[in-house]
Amino acid sequence: MLLKKNTIAGKIKIYLLLYILSQFLSSNLYSDTNKKSEVFADLNVLDKVSSKSSNITLKIGEELKFQNLLIKVLKCYNSKFDDDPEVTAYMQVKDLTIKDKDKVFFFNDWTFASSPSIRPFDHPVYDIWLKKCYN
């Protein structure tokens, strides 16, 4: 009977040790992969009618009204690679001239600074490009 109690206590100690070790490792792995969003995003907006290009700076999470557009950048990341950095942002754009209640956002997707054609912003009057993100 005494031998059986010691085996149960030993198993509990091993499981407890494995649990603590797994929590430690998962917290360290998660902290390395957890990206931190930047504070500001720079965008370039082109008015196709007047051929006027404007540079705007947005604070992440805040909306900015630019002519007939309401632009909001929710997340903006810079890659950790130094040789060819990639800038990505999650952007929402509302066209204030559209009165259709079914279509809330004109654009609601990720955008990439190096290749904006992956997720193009197709608007008849405006083009928007992500330039950079910074603190």
Side-chain angles (χ1 to χ4, degrees), residues 71-89:
I71 305 168
K72 183 177 186 178
V73 176
L74 297 174
K75 296 178 183 179
C76 198
Y77 299 115
N78 290 318
S79 67
K80 294 182 180 179
F81 304 112
D82 293 331
D83 56 342
D84 189 20
E86 179 62 62
V87 181
T88 58

Side-chain angles (χ1 to χ4, degrees), residues 3-59:
L3 184 60
K4 193 172 186 179
K5 287 182 182 177
N6 288 341
T7 12
I8 293 173
K11 285 182 181 179
I12 291 173
K13 286 180 183 178
I14 288 176
Y15 287 133
L16 184 63
L17 180 64
L18 288 175
Y19 175 75
I20 292 170
L21 185 62
S22 68
Q23 292 297 319
F24 175 74
L25 289 176
S26 67
S27 68
N28 281 345
L29 291 175
Y30 180 71
S31 65
D32 289 342
T33 59
N34 189 12
K35 294 181 182 179
K36 184 180 176 194
S37 182
E38 302 294 339
V39 179
F40 296 100
D42 279 350
L43 302 173
N44 193 10
V45 182
L46 173 68
D47 185 348
K48 297 176 189 176
V49 176
S50 67
S51 298
K52 182 180 177 186
S53 179
S54 302
N55 295 323
I56 58 173
T57 301
L58 285 163
K59 188 170 183 180

